[in-house]
Amino acid sequence: KFDSINSIQEARAIWEPLFRKYNQSLRGLLTAGYKIDEAEFNEYFRRGTEDLMVRDERLRDLLRSLPQTKKVIFTNAPEASAIKCLDRMGILECFDGRIYGAETMGTDCCKPEMKAFERVLPKIGINPHSQEECSKVCFFEDSYMNLLQGKKMGMQTVFLHCSTTEEEGKSKKDASELFDAVISDVGSELKFAMPSLWK
């Protein structure tokens, strides 16, 4: 499928409803029938993303202070892109290679779809259909839709309030009424918002 697109406005009109429905651009476009070279798309779309990241010593120290030994990245982005960003921030080693992204999930699903959780959680020893096992997970997200799925599964939930909140049509108040903690900065706010993580 290829529709002639002649302006940014036309592109946005096609992309936005697909992104809102699937929460990932590539997933939405492929599902709509567009033929896309995934590697080329990801390379172009993510080019330079790591340049927007800065080293964050405070976040690194906080991650190291958490007593939990298994820290995981679960992202809709390509794993290579996630690794570059984490490395630029100085926190890559905090995750011991547990980086699960688009390659792990495949092109037929992404967060917040249950199938994505079914593909990732068993890799860290969690049964996604067990509320008891999921309750051992503290799930951090900047997407209300993604975190809501984790909440339904029984996970502890920390919402990272940012521009994504408004893009999803939600407010900080909406998040505060549902999730265990709502913060804007992990490095400076998490210990006060979720002290139970250090017990």
Side-chain angles (χ1 to χ4, degrees), residues 17-87:
L18 292 171
F19 183 78
R20 286 190 181 278
K21 182 174 181 179
Y22 295 102
N23 219 25
Q24 187 198 55
S25 297
L26 182 59
R27 169 95 166 100
L29 292 167
L30 288 172
T31 302
Y34 288 90
K35 302 300 180 190
I36 297 171
D37 181 307
E38 295 167 37
E40 184 180 355
F41 177 90
N42 283 325
E43 194 280 328
Y44 177 81
F45 193 77
R46 297 283 171 180
R47 185 184 301 150
T49 304
E50 67 274 11
D51 295 334
L52 302 174
M53 306 297 166
V54 295
R55 192 167 184 84
D56 192 333
E57 304 288 347
R58 183 170 54 182
L59 177 58
R60 186 198 62 193
D61 291 345
L62 179 131
L63 289 170
R64 286 179 173 174
S65 76
L66 284 164
Q68 296 80 5
T69 57
K70 196 178 289 185
K71 300 176 185 74
V72 176
I73 294 293
F74 178 19
T75 174
N76 281 343
E79 289 157 14
S81 177
I83 288 168
K84 286 180 181 178
C85 291
L86 294 166
D87 188 45

Side-chain angles (χ1 to χ4, degrees), residues 59-60 63-64 69 71 90-96 98:
L59 177 58
R60 186 198 62 193
L63 289 170
R64 286 179 173 174
T69 57
K71 300 176 185 74
I91 58 173
L92 179 60
E93 78 281 358
C94 297
F95 299 95
D96 296 324
R98 297 185 187 97

Side-chain angles (χ1 to χ4, degrees), residues 77-178:
E79 289 157 14
S81 177
I83 288 168
K84 286 180 181 178
C85 291
L86 294 166
D87 188 45
R88 179 62 65 94
M89 293 173 72
I91 58 173
L92 179 60
E93 78 281 358
C94 297
F95 299 95
D96 296 324
R98 297 185 187 97
I99 316 292
Y100 304 107
E103 295 88 340
T104 300
M105 290 178 279
T107 56
D108 64 330
C109 69
C110 64
K111 296 183 295 180
E113 295 167 86
M114 185 63 186
K115 190 185 290 187
F117 290 83
E118 290 171 339
R119 290 186 179 163
V120 170
L121 290 182
K123 293 183 179 296
I124 59 169
I126 299 292
N127 177 354
H129 299 287
S130 166
Q131 290 258 328
E132 182 181 352
E133 289 191 27
C134 286
S135 71
K136 300 173 186 175
V137 175
C138 186
F139 188 30
F140 292 72
E141 259 291 348
D142 67 350
S143 165
Y144 186 98
M145 291 167 55
N146 293 350
L147 199 59
L148 181 58
Q149 179 62 50
K151 183 74 173 179
K152 289 175 182 175
M153 295 167 69
M155 297 178 186
Q156 300 171 68
T157 50
V158 178
F159 184 70
L160 304 174
H161 179 253
C162 62
S163 60
T164 306
T165 313
E166 284 70 36
E167 289 168 9
E168 290 185 322
K170 298 297 180 181
S171 68
K172 192 172 184 178
K173 183 175 182 292
D174 294 328
S176 299
E177 291 172 351
L178 183 62

